[in-house]
Amino acid sequence: MQYLILWLVIINIVTFALCAIDKKRAREHRWRVRERTLFLLAAAGGSMGLILGMNLLHHKTKHNSFTWGAPLILLLQLIAAALIYQKMGGSVL
């Protein structure tokens, strides 16, 4: 369980950081982070980092694929976590 929490912390920090980098590069008209990369990181557990990046940095907020996709990924992850938790008998250890 500790490794899962560590993974989630790291992947969300990385995802948020990439949102910040992409926003900065967009302003400078430079090379950008692929949208596919941001979605893959979100699917790998970084959905909260992506959502925070979108809201705090005002990044990708005009893209329907992000405004709907990131929350949908988070919702699916929460449902999966609840089902796994239930299958484990409500125990996390």
Side-chain angles (χ1 to χ4, degrees):
M1 185 63 159
Q2 293 170 337
Y3 292 116
L4 175 61
I5 293 170
L6 179 62
W7 169 255
L8 291 174
V9 168
I10 291 170
I11 195 73
N12 279 286
I13 290 170
V14 167
T15 305
F16 182 85
L18 275 180
C19 283
I21 290 167
D22 192 44
K23 179 72 174 188
K24 182 178 186 287
R25 289 183 175 191
R27 288 183 184 145
E28 297 170 350
H29 304 288
R30 293 178 52 208
W31 168 87
R32 305 282 304 276
V33 176
R34 290 181 178 218
E35 292 183 357
R36 179 180 6 178
T37 301
L38 294 172
F39 274 120
L40 286 173
L41 289 169
S47 53
M48 279 305 303
L50 180 57
I51 291 169
L52 287 173
M54 289 171 54
N55 289 310
L56 296 177
L57 304 170
H58 305 287
H59 190 53
K60 301 284 188 190
T61 56
K62 294 182 181 178
H63 296 257
N64 283 334
S65 60
F66 279 88
T67 56
W68 288 94
L72 180 61
I73 291 170
L74 176 61
L75 177 64
L76 293 173
Q77 289 170 336
L78 291 173
I79 290 170
L83 290 173
I84 291 168
Y85 182 77
Q86 183 182 26
K87 286 269 189 203
M88 293 175 63
S91 173
V92 291
L93 296 177

